[in-house]
Amino acid sequence: MMPGGAMDRAHSIVGDHKAGRPDDDFYATPPEAVDALLSRELWSGVIWEPACGDGAISKRLEQLEYQVYSSDFNDHGYGQVGVDFLDCANTPYRFMITNPPYNITTEWIERAHDLRFDKFALLLKLSALEGDKRSRLMERTRLSRVWVFRKRLTLWRNGKSLTENKGMIAFAWFVWDRSHVGDPSIGWI
């Protein structure tokens, strides 16, 4: 049995604890997660990061000389604030990379698919593959690739690195690519 503090942190991460999830479901993405995606997927043109939070993904992409449009519904100190991705009727961008709020993953997948990106990647819990409704959504939206992390990531709760919760949840990059034909593939990063 985990000590009380570790158990509380674990429950908080998955959202079933009295402390609940962090403000606005904000878990910042470590740079190594972005690097891992870029080691497997090619991107060109402007990339939209619509849940930019404190800019973790955007800043890493910019360091690597990608053009990025950063926005978020909430103000975490980076990007254009007040942009609700779920209310966007269209987009001038062909590509998207983001770590969306996990409590509305299904809605984000549906909206991204409806916006007809050439390619988009969502950092999700590996458990996003589970369940009848979500698995049918993944089939309907033609999920292309799933890149599973060999080592579990430490996400930054409310933008602060919490090394004590390292490795508690399995994550993967889920990639939808309009040029993909056939069943989705799985690989490790």
Side-chain angles (χ1 to χ4, degrees), residues 43 96 108-109 112-113 117-122 174-177:
W43 303 86
M96 179 181 76
W108 274 70
I109 293 168
H113 180 261
F117 289 100
D118 288 351
K119 181 162 65 169
F120 66 95
L122 304 179
F174 289 66
V175 179
W176 286 259
D177 184 338

Side-chain angles (χ1 to χ4, degrees), residues 35-43 119 145 147 150 187-189:
D35 292 348
L37 174 66
L38 298 176
S39 75
R40 299 294 188 167
E41 297 286 338
L42 298 176
W43 303 86
K119 181 162 65 169
R145 291 172 290 283
W147 297 109
R150 290 181 188 275
W188 288 266
I189 51 178

Side-chain angles (χ1 to χ4, degrees), residues 54-72:
D54 64 359
I57 292 174
S58 297
K59 289 174 185 175
R60 185 62 185 145
L61 289 170
E62 290 166 351
Q63 287 172 346
L64 298 170
E65 299 185 3
Y66 287 90
Q67 295 178 6
V68 184
Y69 168 65
S70 304
S71 67
D72 201 309

